[in-house]
Amino acid sequence: MDVSIIAVGTELLFGQTVNTNATYISNQLNHMGFNVMYHHVVGDNPVRLKELVKASLNEMDMVICTGGLGPTQDDLTKEIVAEAMGVDLYFDEKCYAEIKSYFDERHRSMAENNRKQAYMPVGAEIFHNEAGTAPAFGLEKDGKCAICLPGPPREMKWLFKHCVVDYLKRFSSKEMYYKVIRTIGIGESDLETKLMPVINNQSDPTIATYAKEGECALRVASQRDTAEMAKYAVDEMIEMIDGLIGEYIYSYDDDELNQVVVHQLQRRRLWLSSAESCTGGMFASCITDVAGASSVFAEGFVTYSVEAKSEILGIDTAVIDKFSVVSGEVAVLMADGARRKSKSDISVSITGYAGPEADEGRENGNAFIGYSCGGKLGNKRGFIELNTKRNDRKWNRNYFKLRMLLTVYNILNEKL
Amino acid sequence: MDVSIIAVGTELLFGQTVNTNATYISNQLNHMGFNVMYHHVVGDNPVRLKELVKASLNEMDMVICTGGLGPTQDDLTKEIVAEAMGVDLYFDEKCYAEIKSYFDERHRSMAENNRKQAYMPVGAEIFHNEAGTAPAFGLEKDGKCAICLPGPPREMKWLFKHCVVDYLKRFSSKEMYYKVIRTIGIGESDLETKLMPVINNQSDPTIATYAKEGECALRVASQRDTAEMAKYAVDEMIEMIDGLIGEYIYSYDDDELNQVVVHQLQRRRLWLSSAESCTGGMFASCITDVAGASSVFAEGFVTYSVEAKSEILGIDTAVIDKFSVVSGEVAVLMADGARRKSKSDISVSITGYAGPEADEGRENGNAFIGYSCGGKLGNKRGFIELNTKRNDRKWNRNYFKLRMLLTVYNILNEKL
């Protein structure tokens, strides 16, 4: 089935927003066996949008639009798609009630123009949006299908996952199954080289690698006549992959590293704490992002200044002067201090230069992760030095945070 | 001048790569006064690519292609664009020499298929690529212009900056100016309602609104004969907008709220600290995301448990028992404790339920922000209650963080 994805929004043509929606949808469709033939971006201009939708419906089996479902005057995607498909709009009471209750629940008054969002094409299957106010829909007519989704990626993804995936199943005779494996500590091209024996000459299951900052994910997908056959093919492939790169895998179920770490701590009833300098709270924030983190994480310290390191974590300033504040010795003492203060089982710390300007004679991307374990984990202390050789503050901070997570993961899994 | 941007590459349609090239080029063109009307993405398929290039050249004044200039058989953009413009290719000795020396310099042998990259359309202005092997070009004929650039963003950007910007100057008679205003505390549709008097019947400057999670941005843009005239029109419009929604504006220069807050603190030589429960370090992390934050932020506390709130911040457990841990009273005491411990001028705190499960009788999205000021700011203490009515942990945490930033902003700007 041939598909065009049309993103509607002048902000995309101004270059203010990247069209990540098309990438997300393409990725999903691909794994479900649809052929994405084009992405188009067009502004909030009724004439050009109408022309593009009509031409695309003419040439393709399916058109998926994102954006232009909002309450304002220039949001016209729904109206234009309905017209192109030759159907009228009607006022949907249920949609209206949902939009109204969305505002009521937030104790906000609904603007009059939000009423517009409750008009729906006759015959459409409505996708009720729990992530925002714009209801979305799929509409089939004369062998063509049009799907309209809101532009904000969070809403679009929510709807895709909860409504569109099921809706699309009617177009496919095959059943699809996939798993996402997550790895850390190996680059994408090294990963591909190691996987060559299973990637080559492989048409189903398909294996795709995705590099994320500092991490790499593998998606293994199969389409077979039954769900069981697809699952069997995927599981068999994952066993082969495990034999080749098992040491780099931290999740077989697309879990984030912070989730994996929190769940392992929960299972073992261990308490974690942190002392952060250059990451400034990113590690704590990432641990507490996991629901239920309160059973493993009681407190964290952001000790940005030298004074904070000495006063809050009790590090002797003479030691800081001797080794310098960015050193393995200070990192370990930071971890010790945080563990003592919080009476936790594991503490992890960081001190380093994220950029853009390191101290004289030092390099951006140079940092030390300290760790200190006690209680059930026995006494274990040490540090790891990092050197990213990058000046990019955002990139460095994120990488440092990931490596702190990996340090805890390695301690828990006796790899450190 | 109307422009279409065509990205060529099957990896984009597979959803493996995001089309950031189109965003970059659009942004650049916009500032130079060109009108980007469409983005298209098409795979490495000669039939569909030819059709798209021809249709775009027909409708637009200019077509910019990215990708498909490589040495392999499926790299066909140059050939197809030349054909669509009705010109032949010739073997360019200078390009060939450059490609060869690119390999020589790296002590690599040149593959035979790299010869293909030295063929150029007759009459094209060649953009010599110092960042890779693919030469790029601009080609004018019969009032139309086609520009071909390589797909790898690093090469594309290098060529755009060093060759394309100069090449494009010949086409522009208008000058463009724009500003992005950022607001917080008002929804997109309310914003538009309030701006109706200036949005209606307005063709230049144009005003566009963009909702981000919990925030809203406004872009005011003008194209006039001179840069001064465009700037004057934008400034005049912003004055009118300021009169209508000034109370919600926190930046007139597209700065993020954390940048604005850090820079204001720096200018006034004030120290900030934080005590976070449900945001678990997100506020500290967002402040320290700004380069130079070390001159305003010395330390932060992530006090997730009741014990941490009492032991680290020195809050009497009797008070916590009396008011409950999620209360305005505890929030203020958290802020007091963090300020005292860190000897800072302003401290902000939060305690609340991010979700997914609040304590019995309490609601997710309910939180209290506490603040405590001293020193130069005089003694000011208080709390703000939030009720998002949402169960979405990620959304709530992000919103709480934004409201903490807003609280500091409001204190600094005497709005609180």
Side-chain angles (χ1 to χ4, degrees), chain B residues 231-264:
Chain B
K231 183 176 183 311
Y232 184 82
V234 167
D235 288 344
E236 200 180 41
M237 175 59 76
I238 285 179
E239 222 166 283
M240 287 166 71
I241 291 172
D242 206 21
L244 294 167
I245 56 151
E247 62 193 300
Y248 303 104
I249 298 173
Y250 69 80
S251 170
Y252 294 87
D253 286 304
D254 203 15
D255 291 318
E256 309 262 353
L257 188 50
N258 58 345
Q259 292 174 328
V260 173
V261 164
V262 168
H263 295 154
Q264 291 194 355

Side-chain angles (χ1 to χ4, degrees), chain B residues 33-305:
Chain B
F34 291 81
N35 302 313
V36 178
M37 308 299 267
Y38 298 99
H39 297 172
H40 302 287
V41 177
V42 61
D44 302 303
N45 174 297
V47 178
R48 282 190 291 276
L49 176 57
K50 194 180 299 179
E51 215 171 77
L52 187 59
V53 168
K54 279 190 175 168
S56 298
L57 278 170
N58 203 30
E59 217 186 324
M60 301 282 119
D61 303 306
M62 181 185 289
V63 172
I64 300 184
C65 298
T66 58
L69 297 185
T72 67
Q73 287 186 342
D74 63 356
D75 288 310
L76 287 165
T77 308
K78 181 171 59 187
E79 290 76 3
I80 283 168
V81 166
E83 195 194 320
M85 295 281 280
V87 305
D88 291 327
L89 296 176
Y90 70 99
F91 185 75
D92 190 287
E93 296 286 354
K94 189 174 171 220
C95 282
Y96 183 70
E98 280 174 356
I99 296 166
K100 211 173 162 322
S101 79
Y102 184 93
F103 284 95
D104 290 346
E105 279 166 19
R106 284 156 185 79
H107 305 287
R108 284 161 53 192
S109 65
M110 193 181 96
E112 184 49 34
N113 57 8
N114 282 100
R115 232 185 113 82
K116 176 174 174 297
Q117 295 185 297
Y119 282 88
M120 282 290 151
V122 174
E125 177 161 332
I126 296 169
F127 306 143
H128 296 279
N129 182 359
E130 293 184 18
T133 61
F137 63 87
L139 178 61
E140 273 180 273
K141 203 185 156 200
D142 307 330
K144 302 283 179 176
C145 176
I147 293 174
C148 287
L149 299 169
R154 204 180 50 89
E155 291 184 45
M156 189 281 295
K157 282 185 194 167
W158 189 93
L159 282 159
F160 203 95
K161 204 170 147 187
H162 292 92
C163 311
V164 181
V165 168
D166 273 342
Y167 180 79
L168 289 176
K169 280 188 181 150
R170 71 188 70 179
F171 300 105
S172 173
S173 63
K174 295 248 176 185
E175 294 284 340
M176 148 97 169
Y177 183 82
Y178 78 91
K179 276 208 156 187
V180 176
I181 296 174
R182 291 191 177 230
T183 69
I184 192 165
I186 181 169
E188 192 179 15
S189 51
D190 285 341
L191 198 64
E192 289 208 349
T193 308
K194 280 187 195 288
L195 290 176
M196 272 305 172
V198 293
I199 287 182
N200 275 346
N201 307 316
Q202 190 64 37
S203 63
D204 184 292
T206 55
I207 302 171
T209 58
Y210 309 101
K212 288 193 6 170
E213 300 195 330
E215 286 186 81
C216 213
L218 271 176
R219 179 178 168 130
V220 185
S222 174
Q223 283 189 58
R224 299 285 167 103
D225 290 337
T226 69
E228 290 67 36
M229 285 164 76
K231 183 176 183 311
Y232 184 82
V234 167
D235 288 344
E236 200 180 41
M237 175 59 76
I238 285 179
E239 222 166 283
M240 287 166 71
I241 291 172
D242 206 21
L244 294 167
I245 56 151
E247 62 193 300
Y248 303 104
I249 298 173
Y250 69 80
S251 170
Y252 294 87
D253 286 304
D254 203 15
D255 291 318
E256 309 262 353
L257 188 50
N258 58 345
Q259 292 174 328
V260 173
V261 164
V262 168
H263 295 154
Q264 291 194 355
L265 289 166
Q266 282 174 331
R267 270 199 300 278
R268 295 171 62 179
R269 297 176 189 275
L270 294 169
W271 286 95
L272 172 69
S273 63
S274 57
E276 302 176 68
S277 189
C278 52
T279 50
M282 284 175 85
F283 175 81
S285 144
C286 160
I287 288 290
T288 57
D289 202 30
V290 182
S294 59
S295 66
V296 301
F297 190 82
E299 59 212 86
F301 302 90
V302 181
T303 51
Y304 220 55
S305 67

Side-chain angles (χ1 to χ4, degrees), chain A residues 277-302:
Chain A
S277 190
C278 53
T279 51
M282 285 176 85
F283 175 80
S285 145
C286 160
I287 289 290
T288 56
D289 201 29
V290 182
S294 59
S295 65
V296 302
F297 191 82
E299 57 212 87
F301 302 89
V302 180

